[in-house]
Amino acid sequence: MFIFKPTYVFDKIVDITPEFMKRKRIKGVILDLDNTLTTHNNPIVPQSSMEWINSMKAAGIKLMIVSNNKAPRVTPFAEQLGIDFVSEGKKPLTFGYNKAIKKMGLEKANAAAVGDQIFTDIMGSNLCGIRSFFVFPIEPETSLPFRLKRAVEKPLLPKKFTEE
């Protein structure tokens, strides 16, 4: 099932290096927020995410958050990171991805997206026609809807890290 299969798989976002991006000719990355850059609904940027963002910026990689959350959730986080965002991205629909790619001034061939959910982040990236990076969630969600979603996506989950 191609739309559910990520292009690349990493343990966590900090395992994705600027060198990897350059090798793959990726000039911009669309970022998921919850359980990719920080824990679910956490307004504080972890030091590891901040360092990763700074290393990508230093390498000239453009970054933009696309989140299904509303602006009041995304704005403070994006401001801490110093990056732009698209809220209410409607993932897995391609609206948010296309808007982010346009805002970054990129061609789809040079864009990728990273996230922790098969049915939103990976499916949306693949439907948009950009490369998808799956990262395992920072921590398990506890709410019933998330537990159900994770149970359904479990058979589709990729194995640990694959670079090629």
Side-chain angles (χ1 to χ4, degrees):
M1 295 212 183
F2 170 72
I3 62 169
F4 301 124
K5 185 177 187 317
T7 313
Y8 305 109
V9 178
F10 290 89
D11 242 3
K12 52 193 174 298
I13 198 164
V14 297
D15 294 333
I16 305 168
T17 65
E19 296 76 25
F20 179 82
M21 298 293 200
K22 297 247 187 231
R23 275 198 318 275
K24 301 300 180 183
R25 293 183 170 85
I26 296 170
K27 297 178 180 177
V29 182
I30 296 167
L31 304 166
D32 177 51
L33 181 57
D34 289 325
N35 247 340
T36 299
L37 289 173
T38 190
T39 52
H40 196 72
N41 287 326
N42 184 354
I44 298 168
V45 178
Q47 187 61 33
S48 59
S49 291
M50 184 62 81
E51 290 168 3
W52 183 83
I53 293 284
N54 289 337
S55 73
M56 289 293 158
K57 286 180 179 179
I61 308 290
K62 296 179 180 186
L63 303 167
M64 180 157 310
I65 295 170
V66 173
S67 176
N68 285 346
N69 286 299
K70 295 186 183 309
R73 160 71 179 122
V74 185
T75 301
F77 198 87
E79 285 175 350
Q80 289 176 65
L81 293 173
I83 59 177
D84 200 359
F85 67 91
V86 174
S87 59
E88 299 181 63
K90 299 179 182 26
K91 297 184 284 184
L93 301 177
T94 59
F95 163 80
Y97 292 102
N98 288 322
K99 188 172 181 181
I101 291 165
K102 185 176 180 181
K103 281 178 128 181
M104 288 190 286
L106 296 175
E107 299 294 321
K108 286 184 179 183
N110 300 114
V114 61
D116 68 298
Q117 292 187 58
I118 298 291
F119 298 128
T120 53
D121 307 312
I122 301 307
M123 185 178 173
S125 304
N126 291 337
L127 288 172
C128 186
I130 62 174
R131 288 173 276 183
S132 55
F133 289 35
F134 177 84
V135 294
F136 290 89
I138 295 171
E139 70 179 25
E141 297 92 353
T142 56
S143 71
L144 183 59
F146 265 107
R147 290 197 328 254
L148 290 172
K149 186 191 301 189
R150 294 293 185 189
V152 172
E153 79 179 9
K154 190 170 186 165
L156 301 170
L157 286 178
K159 303 294 179 241
K160 292 285 181 173
F161 178 81
T162 57
E163 187 172 306
E164 294 302 321

